[in-house]
Amino acid sequence: MFAELMEMFRGNAVEIPILQPIIDALMGIPLVNFVVSFLLWKPLFAILFAPGLAALMVAMLFIIWFERKVTARVQWRYGPLEISRSLGGLIQPLADGMRYLFQEVIVHREAHKPLFIQLPLLSFIPVLLPFLFIPAGTIYAIRTPYALPLIVALISLVPMLIVLIGWASNSKYAYLGSMREVFMYFGYEVALIVVVMAMVLMYGSADLIEIVEKQKSLPGILFNPIACIAFFMVTAMATSRFPFEIPEADQEVVFGPFIEYTGIMFGIVMTLGYEKLYLLSLLFSILFLGGWNGPTIAILGDLSPALWLFLKTVVLMMMFVFLRTVYPRFRLDQAIKFGWTTLLSLSVISLAVAAVIRLVGWL
Amino acid sequence: MKEMSIDVPVEPPAEFKSLFIPIPPEYVEDAYKKDEFMILVGPQHGGSGHMRIIVRLKGDVIVDALPDPGYVHRGMEKLAENKLYIQNIPLLERPAIMDCANYNLGYVRAIEQMLDIEVPERAKYIRTILAELCRVGTHLYDAGILAIFLGHSTGFMWPFAMRELICEALMKVSGARVTASYIIPGGVRRDVSKSVLEYIREVTFFIEKKAKDFEKVFIKNPVTIARMKDVGVLTKKDAIRLGVVGPFLRATGVEYDVRAIEPYDAYDQLDWDVVTADDGDSYSRFLVRVEEISQSLRIIRQAINRLRTMPEGKVISEDLLGKIKDKEKASRDIKGNFYRIFGRLTLPAGEVTTLTEASRGTLLYTLVSDGESTSPYRLRIVTPGWLYLKGFMESLKGSRLADLQAIYGSFGYFPPEADR
């Protein structure tokens, strides 16, 4: 059975020429070779490394540092610096994470204890499951024609978890924050789905690999820029970026649903927004920026497209976090109005544009 | 839209009984019977100062707002009765330390009026410069707080960085970054040198330049306008009825500025405008203060120009110097003679009231002297914060809960100032 499994793993393994000598050396050791080939098995590699967990963690650590640093530079400050001075404080988020780990986790008396503790951990499910369906070049776990609807459905689960977290906290401001999250959810969700439908209509497929194939010559942003604008704003709204940082508004509802969390629990729920941002940016770069299309770097092999996808995603995330320095925050009713008027009409227009492109047959 | 009511018996929350809330319990019960509820904003809240606002809400809309100030009450009036007249100067700038010169000015002018002494011309201009520097500093401070209340962190950092230069200028003039204690009865502590005046002049140009960037990023930001336009409207009638003062009164269209109506110091010799607006909403309250910054910079530059042509020295009134031998030196710098002049200062019996236009509005000092003591018999301070608190609460009514911070910031309410 071992041999059969090995065969299966080896048959669908990630090829990385630059690491080949190391892999070959490890293959000589019994048992280790099984682990290595298991890790290099494409479905697992997609979830664990790129575009999955490891890439997510790297992107998140970088983007939290970048957000703090760029905001500080705009505001005539230094930003994170003391930890790893030579790197400009690059590992500050890591240090913060360590600090969270050693802090006491307080569960207050009013909380619904089981839910309060398990929900932050459960929140990883809707964040990590979409990686099953997001390919990076040849690296993918499951290829299905329903990939896009599945991803959107899974991402839509995140607000549910935030609302549950607020409910389990059982405190006034957490309640206000989760209500705001619910309202925001209603504000952007329809527009998000309509935009995604427009792109599916335009490409004639919901299979992400096929979508990227179709953008070989020109990226999708040139065909349907309105959908791109709408998706950008939806992403800002869905991930509580400024100017829509309404559910967590610390001056108004003091971190909203997450008000009662401390220690590593707070660390986990705080990153929820960034994880969602990573996912939506991945979708953005696949739908509009040509995904992993880019000059092939021979030495990286299968990792080359994954790297292009990662770079595009991170640049997008940088654009999103930069909004913090420019915008104050909308009021809840203004944001919902924005969602149901501007965003919805933009997305409907983009649907029309997609239909025209489909009918003319440009793609 | 038709309103639906759900008849669910709701108990008023226990914290209204367990905490000391200065409102009758019937009021709370009444609110909860009427399908409304109450929440406490502050005193430990990211969007409140050291004060509590008891907000009565119907859904998301504020029906009534009751202030619960007094968390930073330090008893300035009583403390002032136990100190020498001169020792009160550092005390009385504590209500609003960023506005120190204006707070000193009111008190010092009360003493001067009682002693009936005239301040040298040069000292008048220096006082004016200092008062206007503090006004710019306070308005920048308030703009920063407003920006962070709206979630705009860049708009928070920039005014504070600009204010840093004003702190630096105050330090060069007086030696202290915020609590200058520089203005004394009869003049100012010491003369200001030419290089410091040039520095202050440069600061005014720098702030003007940076204020343009700030305008682009925060003031003219569409989201800022959306958040503040037509929010927390205070009508002209209400503003007059509730005794709102300062820029917040001027934002409703009333042209009232103590500097223009009862000019003190050098204000009547300088060319400047009283800034007014018509809307009376949060945005115009903010814009009035932004415009006042540029007016203040204008005043400072004019005063510096006058000071350049004036002979240096003589910043303390000769009437006070009395038996001091080297009058020439003492009138240039009070150092060394301070307690000989002011240590046993007693005022003639009587009562004097002065009005000063502090940054946030009219500041009133009433000084009562019994004629034989070296400390005030009674000192009444009415700070602008206290005067516009009612108007602030009035303007909250009818807004949304999320607007509370925008309105709070637009008033620049500063609890230590109001509580004294």
Side-chain angles (χ1 to χ4, degrees):
Chain A
M1 197 192 79
F2 235 58
E4 265 175 44
L5 276 176
M6 273 290 269
E7 192 128 316
M8 189 178 101
F9 296 155
R10 299 292 291 161
N12 196 13
V14 180
E15 304 270 342
I16 311 167
I18 194 172
L19 293 179
Q20 208 53 52
I22 304 172
I23 294 166
D24 286 342
L26 289 173
M27 278 302 161
I29 312 165
L31 212 59
V32 173
N33 62 0
F34 182 74
V35 174
V36 169
S37 50
F38 182 48
L39 287 178
L40 285 178
W41 185 42
K42 271 179 182 169
L44 196 72
F45 193 87
I47 296 166
L48 279 188
F49 298 104
L53 196 59
L56 168 69
M57 288 298 161
V58 171
M60 223 156 61
L61 289 179
F62 171 74
I63 219 68
I64 292 174
W65 170 81
F66 177 80
E67 179 171 22
R68 293 181 59 181
K69 199 78 180 170
V70 77
T71 314
R73 297 316 296 187
V74 171
Q75 297 169 356
W76 311 342
R77 297 185 283 120
Y78 286 109
L81 186 66
E82 285 305 318
I83 294 167
S84 74
R85 230 166 209 287
S86 51
L87 294 172
L90 186 62
I91 60 167
Q92 177 77 43
L94 210 62
D96 285 348
M98 293 281 279
R99 186 178 64 85
Y100 283 142
L101 263 180
F102 290 108
Q103 251 177 357
E104 187 191 353
V105 174
I106 300 166
V107 182
H108 58 293
R109 208 181 299 146
E110 285 82 14
H112 189 292
K113 212 168 177 179
L115 282 181
F116 186 78
I117 295 172
Q118 68 172 316
L119 279 171
L121 307 174
L122 283 180
S123 68
F124 274 112
I125 295 175
V127 169
L128 290 182
L129 272 184
F131 291 120
L132 283 174
F133 309 105
I134 298 180
T138 53
I139 305 169
Y140 56 84
I142 299 172
R143 184 176 174 177
T144 142
Y146 305 109
L148 206 44
L150 274 168
I151 294 165
V152 172
L154 284 169
I155 291 174
S156 306
L157 278 180
V158 178
M160 307 280 176
L161 274 163
I162 294 178
V163 170
L164 265 176
I165 282 172
W167 183 74
S169 295
N170 199 6
S171 108
K172 254 182 201 170
Y173 283 107
Y175 168 74
L176 279 172
S178 359
M179 282 326 282
R180 285 174 168 213
E181 178 73 33
V182 171
F183 278 119
M184 289 295 283
Y185 180 57
F186 284 126
Y188 69 77
E189 196 62 21
V190 176
L192 172 67
I193 290 170
V194 173
V195 172
V196 170
M197 288 321 291
M199 296 321 279
V200 171
L201 181 62
M202 196 176 100
Y203 294 122
S205 161
D207 183 0
L208 293 177
I209 295 175
E210 214 166 296
I211 285 175
V212 174
E213 280 291 306
K214 292 210 166 168
Q215 299 179 65
K216 262 262 146 47
S217 50
L218 279 175
I221 182 171
L222 296 178
F223 288 104
N224 203 344
I226 296 163
C228 175
I229 295 167
F231 197 91
F232 189 87
M233 291 196 277
V234 162
T235 309
M237 222 162 155
T239 54
S240 306
R241 292 284 103 203
F242 278 89
F244 303 107
E245 199 235 23
I246 294 165
E248 283 123 62
D250 47 339
Q251 286 85 14
E252 289 160 23
V253 288
V254 219
F255 262 98
F258 315 136
I259 185 171
E260 304 289 356
Y261 281 98
T262 42
I264 188 65
M265 292 299 217
F266 178 73
I268 292 172
V269 292
M270 191 200 73
T271 52
L272 210 57
Y274 289 98
E275 286 156 1
K276 208 174 162 192
L277 178 64
Y278 178 73
L279 274 173
L280 283 168
S281 301
L282 265 179
L283 261 193
F284 190 104
S285 44
I286 288 175
L287 287 180
F288 298 101
L289 303 179
W292 49 85
N293 287 340
T296 314
I297 306 165
I299 203 161
L300 287 177
D302 281 343
L303 265 188
S304 159
L307 183 73
W308 282 114
L309 184 62
F310 181 73
L311 285 179
K312 282 175 186 173
T313 308
V314 168
V315 169
L316 263 173
M317 287 169 82
M318 282 156 80
M319 281 163 72
F320 280 114
V321 296
F322 184 73
L323 292 175
R324 173 178 290 271
T325 62
V326 188
Y327 284 114
R329 140 182 349 107
F330 269 124
R331 209 167 54 212
L332 180 61
D333 54 326
Q334 290 167 340
I336 298 169
K337 197 178 164 199
F338 180 81
W340 280 104
T341 55
T342 316
L343 267 185
L344 192 63
S345 43
L346 273 179
S347 55
V348 170
I349 292 168
S350 74
L351 193 66
V353 171
V356 168
I357 290 172
R358 189 80 201 138
L359 283 176
V360 177
W362 282 334
L363 263 172
Chain B
M1 204 165 65
K2 205 182 151 218
E3 212 171 87
M4 305 238 293
S5 71
I6 310 161
D7 264 341
V8 181
V10 184
E11 287 279 306
E15 69 228 40
F16 280 92
K17 275 178 196 150
S18 61
L19 300 173
F20 174 74
I21 309 284
I23 47 171
E26 297 86 54
Y27 184 86
V28 183
E29 267 170 36
D30 182 49
Y32 277 82
K33 263 181 206 157
K34 277 188 183 160
D35 197 15
E36 295 166 357
F37 66 105
M38 305 182 77
I39 68 163
L40 308 174
V41 179
Q44 286 109 353
H45 184 276
S48 85
H50 299 148
M51 82 167 310
R52 177 186 279 150
I53 305 172
I54 301 153
V55 188
R56 181 170 170 173
L57 287 168
K58 190 177 180 81
D60 195 24
V61 180
I62 298 172
V63 178
D64 201 0
L66 303 161
D68 181 11
Y71 283 89
V72 269
H73 174 64
R74 285 152 293 174
M76 292 284 170
E77 293 181 2
K78 195 70 196 167
L79 282 171
E81 290 171 17
N82 300 311
K83 287 178 188 291
L84 299 180
Y85 282 109
I86 195 70
Q87 284 175 326
N88 279 335
I89 291 177
L91 171 73
L92 292 176
E93 62 194 7
R94 257 66 185 173
I97 51 171
M98 69 289 272
D99 200 10
C100 56
N102 284 311
Y103 271 75
N104 282 168
L105 205 50
Y107 175 67
V108 162
R109 273 172 47 237
I111 295 180
E112 279 161 7
Q113 280 182 25
M114 276 207 155
L115 288 172
D116 197 18
I117 51 175
E118 191 60 34
V119 180
E121 195 74 353
R122 191 174 169 82
K124 275 187 182 173
Y125 280 102
I126 296 174
R127 282 177 173 195
T128 310
I129 291 175
L130 224 64
E132 291 308 310
L133 274 180
C134 285
R135 191 183 313 280
V136 175
T138 314
H139 285 342
L140 287 175
Y141 179 97
D142 287 350
I145 299 290
L146 169 65
I148 196 68
F149 274 179
L150 294 181
H152 198 300
S153 47
T154 307
F156 171 63
M157 292 290 169
W158 284 6
F160 269 76
M162 285 189 256
R163 194 174 151 265
E164 187 65 26
L165 293 164
I166 287 165
C167 292
E168 199 76 3
L170 281 183
M171 194 183 81
K172 279 180 197 264
V173 172
S174 70
R177 279 166 52 87
V178 271
T179 48
S181 302
Y182 180 68
I183 297 166
I184 55 171
V188 294
R189 268 172 193 261
R190 68 184 84 89
D191 199 7
V192 179
S193 74
K194 222 166 211 159
S195 62
V196 174
L197 285 179
E198 289 310 313
Y199 176 79
I200 295 173
R201 205 176 132 78
E202 272 170 34
V203 165
T204 61
F205 285 111
F206 185 80
I207 287 175
E208 202 159 62
K209 200 179 94 200
K210 283 294 165 194
K212 280 199 187 102
D213 292 346
F214 180 61
E215 187 171 328
K216 264 182 233 154
V217 164
F218 182 66
I219 303 171
K220 292 278 160 67
N221 195 318
V223 184
T224 312
I225 295 174
R227 274 306 295 274
M228 291 169 69
K229 198 108 185 114
D230 300 325
V231 164
V233 179
L234 194 62
T235 58
K236 191 173 180 176
K237 213 173 131 200
D238 273 346
I240 296 169
R241 183 171 60 86
L242 296 167
V244 177
V245 288
F248 318 109
L249 179 65
R250 293 196 280 279
T252 62
V254 183
E255 201 169 323
Y256 176 79
D257 191 322
V258 181
R259 291 176 292 170
I261 288 165
E262 299 169 38
Y264 49 90
D265 284 333
Y267 284 113
D268 49 347
Q269 295 158 43
L270 300 168
D271 179 29
W272 58 281
D273 301 325
V274 176
V275 186
T276 54
D278 295 326
D279 296 350
D281 57 355
S282 291
Y283 195 52
S284 60
R285 278 194 288 272
F286 177 50
L287 285 187
V288 161
R289 284 181 290 157
V290 170
E291 184 54 33
E292 262 185 27
I293 290 178
S294 56
Q295 289 297 332
S296 292
L297 297 178
R298 204 173 135 199
I299 294 175
I300 293 170
R301 265 176 236 150
Q302 287 176 38
I304 288 173
N305 279 342
R306 300 276 172 90
L307 279 178
R308 275 168 168 172
T309 57
M310 247 176 239
E312 285 194 28
K314 193 150 168 23
V315 286
I316 295 151
S317 172
E318 293 253 335
D319 306 340
L320 273 173
L321 297 179
K323 285 178 191 166
I324 288 170
K325 279 171 198 162
D326 192 355
K327 282 194 182 173
E328 183 74 17
K329 187 169 160 277
S331 72
R332 204 182 316 127
D333 191 344
I334 196 83
K335 193 168 78 185
N337 301 314
F338 200 77
Y339 281 96
R340 205 176 306 165
I341 297 170
F342 293 114
R344 292 185 191 172
L345 185 75
T346 53
L347 301 186
E351 182 180 329
V352 156
T353 300
T354 57
L355 287 180
T356 315
E357 185 71 16
S359 309
R360 296 192 183 94
T362 310
L363 169 69
L364 179 140
Y365 276 107
T366 299
L367 183 62
V368 183
S369 162
D370 56 2
E372 45 201 42
S373 158
T374 50
S375 45
Y377 179 75
R378 174 86 171 89
L379 181 69
R380 174 82 180 126
I381 318 164
V382 183
T383 47
W386 188 248
L387 287 170
Y388 66 68
L389 181 56
K390 261 187 189 168
F392 170 26
M393 290 302 139
E394 180 69 30
S395 65
L396 280 176
K397 287 175 196 167
S399 323
R400 288 175 183 275
L401 181 62
D403 282 332
L404 191 140
Q405 268 71 37
I407 298 169
Y408 193 115
S410 79
F411 270 102
Y413 183 75
F414 192 55
E417 183 191 79
D419 292 351
R420 306 184 290 276

